Amino acid sequence: MKNYTAKLLPAFVLAVAASAMLLTACKKEKHETTPAVPPVVVDAVITGRVHTPTDVSIGAATITAGIYHTQSDKDGMFTLSVAQGDYTLVIQTGSGHIFKTEIPVSISAKQSIALTEPQTLLTQIKPLAYIVGNYDQIEDIIITDLGYTATQITVTDLDNLAYIKDFGGMFFNCGVIGTFDSLTYTNLATYVNNWGSLYASDWAVEYLTGDGHWRVAGGGTFNPLAKNQSHEEAFSLMTTCISPKLGGFLPDSSLCSSKSGSSQTVYHADIYDANLITLLGKDSIDIYYNLGGWEKLSVVDAPFTTIIEDNTAAANGPLAVSCDLNGTAVGGKIFYTTFHNHPQGGISTDIKNVLQYFILNL
């Protein structure tokens, strides 16, 4: 019996020791378990109204605080739910490289903060420039209606890259006043790919795709038919825009136009931009063209996409387009419209709101 017990004792001791070690390990493992992190409670609210220096309400502005974000409605109002904490609330339109406001906000749990009108004023952080034209005055909307600043420059100034690169956006009015050369287009390509954005209306398509000829100083031209400033050479039968034309920094095949639009009202043109639909409260718009010979778009291809288009029986095609050449926050955006804020007559409230949206979202 003694021998049997002696043989069992070492095994028993080992078993007890193993159990003790396992129990100790389990206790240690349980002790080192990371406690559960309580869920983040989003129960604080920040409200306000985004507006311009002239108190125009800004719809479709982006409001961000940390990981939380929302958009202003058509009346500029916004409500942003956040967790308690300290934030830099950012209000911006477009990529924010021209118009942006930053507001420090500290908010407690279940607190509601209503930002004041001075706080929610959308600030212009980079200068704008415009070139006058015979048939458009977009600067009236920028300066008078919205209350921002813009510097008048000339076509000649476009040859000075060091000068134009400091502008966040440039606006080209319909009816070019000035002469172009290859340096003009080279600088525009460099500018929009590196520093800023562009808006052009109607005949100002010449800034983007050229006009089929070189113009020279003094009103002369290598092509005696070129004085009508057409995108295509005057009286050309070209319809596809595949054939290369002189001038421009964008291919003619991406934005093909000809002076074939007639004086008319285009009814119920479709809007494809979701923000514009929210802003206007409708998905179609009436556009009045009081002058004949506006640039009618027959082809829109990459990098452009159509924003407003006439799909009715009149079949006037794309009426407003845009593209983003670099997809960054330093420019690269181009808006082009076949209509504009022309001095020949008033524009509708809808068109004014559309143009304001394009200005603010460069």
Side-chain angles (χ1 to χ4, degrees):
M1 187 69 178
K2 287 184 179 180
N3 292 337
Y4 179 74
T5 303
K7 290 179 181 179
L8 288 178
L9 186 60
F12 175 75
V13 171
L14 288 174
V16 171
S19 298
M21 290 177 64
L22 180 60
L23 182 61
T24 302
C26 289
K27 288 182 178 179
K28 184 177 181 182
E29 181 179 337
K30 185 175 180 181
H31 177 73
E32 292 181 352
T33 300
T34 303
V37 178
V40 175
V41 179
V42 182
D43 60 357
V45 177
I46 305 171
T47 62
R49 182 179 75 94
V50 187
H51 60 98
T52 74
T54 52
D55 205 38
V56 173
S57 297
I58 301 175
T62 301
I63 298 91
T64 305
I67 63 173
Y68 308 103
H69 60 87
T70 188
Q71 277 193 317
S72 59
D73 63 19
K74 63 185 182 65
D75 298 315
M77 304 299 296
F78 69 87
T79 299
L80 180 63
S81 298
V82 300
Q84 65 176 346
D86 299 326
Y87 299 96
T88 296
L89 186 136
V90 179
I91 301 173
Q92 69 179 56
T93 52
S95 63
H97 81 287
I98 300 176
F99 299 102
K100 182 167 67 175
T101 295
E102 296 184 347
I103 311 160
V105 176
S106 295
I107 193 165
S108 303
K110 300 182 180 180
Q111 184 181 9
S112 180
I113 294 178
L115 298 177
T116 65
E117 296 282 288
Q119 288 177 302
T120 56
L121 170 67
L122 185 63
T123 305
Q124 178 181 345
I125 62 174
K126 293 203 73 174
L128 298 172
Y130 68 93
I131 297 180
V132 298
N134 286 313
Y135 305 105
D136 195 5
Q137 292 176 329
I138 191 68
E139 64 273 14
D140 285 353
I141 296 182
I142 300 170
I143 300 170
T144 304
D145 293 342
L146 296 178
Y148 294 112
T149 61
T151 301
Q152 180 180 327
I153 63 175
T154 66
V155 172
T156 303
D157 288 326
L158 299 180
D159 284 351
N160 185 348
L161 187 60
Y163 175 57
I164 66 172
K165 72 181 184 64
D166 291 328
F167 293 108
M170 295 193 292
F171 297 82
F172 304 141
N173 284 307
C174 173
V176 178
I177 300 175
T179 59
F180 290 79
D181 55 29
S182 59
L183 181 59
T184 303
Y185 293 120
T186 298
N187 284 352
L188 284 175
T190 303
Y191 168 82
V192 80
N193 277 294
N194 292 278
W195 301 297
S197 299
L198 303 175
Y199 167 86
S201 65
D202 201 2
W203 289 4
V205 72
E206 183 175 357
Y207 289 89
L208 308 178
T209 56
D211 58 359
H213 63 271
W214 290 128
R215 274 196 261 210
V216 296
T221 175
F222 292 112
N223 180 350
L225 301 178
K227 292 183 179 179
N228 67 1
Q229 302 179 7
S230 179
H231 169 201
E232 304 167 2
E233 291 186 16
F235 313 114
S236 169
L237 297 178
M238 182 184 73
T239 59
T240 64
C241 283
I242 299 301
S243 301
K245 293 295 178 180
L246 294 174
F249 67 95
L250 295 170
D252 293 4
S253 57
S254 68
L255 197 63
C256 177
S257 68
S258 62
K259 287 181 170 56
S260 58
S262 61
S263 176
Q264 61 180 297
T265 298
V266 176
Y267 293 101
H268 308 301
D270 292 321
I271 303 172
Y272 300 139
D273 186 288
N275 287 332
L276 265 181
I277 293 173
T278 300
L279 186 66
L280 299 175
K282 61 181 76 173
D283 59 8
S284 67
I285 191 173
D286 298 338
I287 303 175
Y288 175 55
Y289 292 85
N290 73 324
L291 296 175
W294 51 272
E295 293 281 354
K296 193 171 180 179
L297 296 174
S298 58
V299 176
V300 173
D301 204 349
F304 284 93
T305 58
T306 300
I307 301 175
I308 302 175
E309 184 173 20
D310 178 21
N311 289 309
T312 65
N316 287 290
L319 305 177
V321 299
S322 71
C323 72
D324 193 344
L325 294 183
N326 58 30
T328 70
V330 294
K333 193 83 172 181
I334 298 176
F335 283 111
Y336 173 73
T337 61
T338 58
F339 54 88
H340 44 71
N341 175 39
H342 46 73
Q344 287 76 29
I347 59 175
S348 71
T349 299
D350 284 343
I351 295 298
K352 181 174 289 189
N353 287 336
V354 168
L355 294 178
Q356 288 177 354
Y357 174 78
F358 291 158
I359 292 167
L360 293 170
N361 285 274
L362 277 182

